[in-house]
Amino acid sequence: MTPRILRRATVLCGALILACCAVLTFDYFQTRLRAPAEEARIAALQKEVRQDAARAAVLYAEQQRITRARDARNARTQRLKWVLIALSALFVTGAKRIIESPGAKPAPSKLPTQSSKTTRRPIPRPVAGSNGPPAVDLAFVNEVVAREGTGPEAAITILQAIQDHYRYLPEEALERVCEMTAITPAQITGAATFYGRFRRRPVGRHIVRVCHGTACHVAGAREISEQLRRDLAIPDGSDTDPERIFTLEEVACLGCCSLAPVLMVDNHASGKLTPAAAIDALDAAHPREPA
């Protein structure tokens, strides 16, 4: 069969499928519309038979007529269903042969190739502060990988060990993990950004947490954070001062709502603060050397 004839035959099958569907739809609605009238006709004849027994023959004839009409419609529906199945099979076969014919152009694949799946992209680096991070001794990373394994299932455990050792996730350490294991940069980045415990930038020796829960926010937590940033000279876009002594964090809740606004320096909490009192609380917890 030539491609031209095949296309015409496939189109014809499609048209016949639509015609069969139209007939089946018409029969369905016609049956639904006729049913109430037929039931009313039978009910009326039954009432007449109760009054005049001679009308029984008319009732029987009407019941037979309705039954024959319904049987004929059901038989036609069954035949059309089988025709529809056959036409659908022919249509699918013809369409498949048309698509697979030499003259047909294959649709461009949107799926990534094997090479794109395995390509290791560099780990996105966070914006650095004014000072570069200190040099990282990667010997610890080698020890952790040797201890925890090289499979993707070890990613979280390795990241936790690196965080505990360096107090953040150095880029050099993450790149070494990807070099030594089957863990991809995408997996590293996904885990490091999903879990709030992981830090991508160096952390100061002391952690200053300002509660920004509802009670503390209303009581002036924003002003306290801004005052601390100015006093500690923390650059915009960073949370740690240039000397990496203090890291300022805004947390959702410290569990001291009755003392709002609340500040915690390492494990020392202070409440009912003003911006000036927050600076005093910081100095009381960790006195700073005069500049």
Side-chain angles (χ1 to χ4, degrees), residues 29-225:
F29 284 106
Q30 187 181 46
T31 301
R32 293 290 300 272
L33 293 175
R34 285 183 176 179
E38 292 174 347
E39 292 175 358
R41 173 65 175 165
I42 295 298
L45 289 174
Q46 289 175 342
K47 185 177 180 180
E48 292 178 5
V49 168
R50 285 194 292 269
Q51 297 175 356
D52 183 3
R55 300 288 294 172
V58 178
L59 173 62
Y60 176 76
E62 185 66 18
Q63 289 176 332
Q64 290 295 105
R65 184 191 66 79
I66 293 175
T67 300
R68 286 194 298 269
R70 289 179 178 177
D71 290 342
R73 286 196 298 269
N74 291 336
R76 183 171 65 250
T77 299
Q78 292 298 325
R79 289 194 297 270
L80 285 175
K81 287 181 179 179
W82 284 110
V83 172
L84 186 60
I85 292 173
L87 289 173
S88 299
L90 292 174
F91 178 81
V92 171
T93 302
K96 184 178 180 181
R97 292 183 62 181
I98 291 173
I99 294 174
E100 295 176 351
S101 62
K105 295 182 179 180
S109 175
K110 296 182 180 180
L111 296 176
T113 60
Q114 184 66 23
S115 59
S116 64
K117 289 182 180 179
T118 57
T119 300
R120 291 187 171 229
R121 299 180 179 178
I123 300 173
R125 295 177 179 268
V127 179
S130 58
N131 293 342
V136 176
D137 181 10
L138 298 178
F140 176 77
V141 179
N142 300 339
E143 297 174 2
V144 171
V145 171
R147 182 177 70 247
E148 302 297 341
T150 60
E153 67 279 358
I156 299 297
T157 306
I158 292 175
L159 291 180
Q160 288 175 336
I162 293 174
Q163 171 95 3
D164 292 340
H165 182 77
Y166 299 106
R167 303 187 68 203
Y168 77 108
L169 300 178
E171 298 301 322
E172 298 88 342
L174 300 183
E175 291 173 357
R176 176 61 64 86
V177 170
C178 292
E179 293 172 359
M180 299 180 62
T181 68
I183 304 171
T184 65
Q187 291 172 314
I188 291 288
T189 302
T193 55
F194 180 79
Y195 296 100
R197 179 179 181 274
F198 293 129
R199 288 185 55 88
R200 299 294 301 278
R201 290 180 289 189
V203 64
R205 293 197 299 271
H206 304 291
I207 305 297
V208 182
R209 296 181 175 89
V210 180
C211 178
H212 278 253
T214 302
C216 292
H217 177 77
V218 173
R222 175 56 55 195
E223 290 77 9
I224 290 176
S225 292

Side-chain angles (χ1 to χ4, degrees), residues 240-256:
T240 304
D241 67 311
E243 290 75 22
R244 295 193 178 88
I245 299 175
F246 293 97
T247 292
L248 180 63
E249 295 181 349
E250 298 179 359
V251 298
C253 185
L254 290 174
C256 306

